[in-house]
Amino acid sequence: PDGRCRGTWYFKREVSLVICDLDILCAQPPRYLAAGMVDAIAKHVEIKHHLHALPADAQDVLLAQQLAQTIYRDLFAYGRESMVDLHSAKAIRCIFHSIITTGMVSGIARGMYQAAMAHAFYEVIRTLFPQDSKPWLHGEIVGVGLRLQELYAENLPEAEQLTTFMRELDMPLSLADLSVPIRSDILQMIASTSPLPDFYIKPETDKEKVTNILHNL
């Protein structure tokens, strides 16, 4: 009720059908499409980050990786133009990738083999700062988490590309943009709060690395 993250729910039955009404989707505020595209871009970043841990016979996850790369490529190529005219063919492709292709990636990968640091960051922000983060959309908070993840993985060219893309879409780029107070104790709390470090099971020094990246963002 207060907006905090309460964990992940798993259901016994799968979703049977998703109906995507383009008349509704193309009438959305452009901000919603921007947030949806960045959330979809997360698939590539999160799978790429975890590829070193894949078993040799994980063909299904490798297929998910290829689809995630297609999402990543197309959204960077057409995302800016799609914001100008939500009824254009490029915008509809971006909407398709943000819903359908992204859903396929999740299904094929079975929610596994994804170093979901950006989404863990989202859950931490929603849990620690439910009121401060209330005005922001899911994809907007995930986008800041993606910048953290790319810098954490030391993918500097990709981090710069993502930052430029988000800036052009007028999205938040930092904790300050999300109205989170920038104090050393708060940065350390974010870096130490589950599930952020638990995705990596690394030494304590990793928390210091995350804290420094959050400060430098």
Side-chain angles (χ1 to χ4, degrees):
D2 63 1
R4 298 178 191 271
C5 176
R6 296 175 60 182
T8 303
W9 291 359
Y10 295 95
F11 299 95
K12 293 181 179 179
R13 293 187 59 184
E14 297 284 352
V15 173
S16 298
L17 181 69
V18 176
I19 298 177
C20 304
D21 189 326
L22 284 175
D23 288 338
I24 295 174
L25 293 174
C26 292
Q28 67 184 308
R31 177 189 177 195
Y32 285 17
L33 178 57
M37 289 191 294
V38 170
D39 191 37
I41 285 171
K43 290 299 182 190
H44 171 68
V45 176
E46 293 175 343
I47 289 178
K48 175 186 65 176
H49 195 161
H50 201 76
L51 280 180
H52 68 278
L54 285 179
D57 60 347
Q59 291 91 346
D60 50 351
V61 184
L62 295 177
L63 174 58
Q65 177 204 6
Q66 293 300 313
L67 286 174
Q69 286 178 339
T70 299
I71 296 171
Y72 189 83
R73 180 197 65 214
D74 283 2
L75 294 186
F76 275 123
Y78 307 125
R80 299 169 185 85
E81 294 179 56
S82 70
M83 297 286 288
V84 178
D85 180 7
L86 296 187
H87 293 83
S88 67
K90 291 179 179 179
I92 292 174
R93 176 180 289 195
C94 290
I95 292 171
F96 183 90
H97 280 324
S98 297
I99 300 174
I100 307 301
T101 318
T102 297
M104 293 173 65
V105 171
S106 294
I108 294 171
R110 305 184 308 285
M112 301 169 63
Y113 306 119
Q114 300 172 55
M117 187 176 192
H119 280 84
F121 171 84
Y122 164 84
E123 293 181 359
V124 168
I125 295 301
R126 287 287 196 223
T127 300
L128 295 179
F129 309 100
Q131 295 305 313
D132 294 310
S133 64
K134 193 172 183 179
W136 300 105
L137 300 173
H138 170 89
E140 291 172 330
I141 299 176
V142 167
V144 178
L146 284 177
R147 295 190 65 219
L148 165 66
Q149 182 159 1
E150 290 284 37
L151 291 170
Y152 178 90
E154 301 180 2
N155 297 325
L156 301 186
E158 292 88 344
E160 184 59 35
Q161 181 185 34
L162 176 65
T163 300
T164 300
F165 184 74
M166 291 174 59
R167 182 177 290 116
E168 291 176 348
L169 298 183
D170 196 28
M171 298 184 69
L173 298 173
S174 66
L175 287 175
D177 289 343
L178 297 176
S179 303
V180 174
I182 307 302
R183 301 199 315 261
S184 59
D185 59 328
I186 289 179
L187 297 181
Q188 292 173 12
M189 183 168 58
I190 294 173
S192 301
T193 300
S194 179
L196 198 57
D198 297 343
F199 275 90
Y200 302 96
I201 316 176
K202 296 283 187 68
E204 187 70 24
T205 53
D206 258 23
K207 297 180 182 179
E208 181 179 350
K209 179 177 180 179
V210 171
T211 301
N212 291 334
I213 293 172
L214 288 170
H215 183 271
N216 293 332
L217 277 178

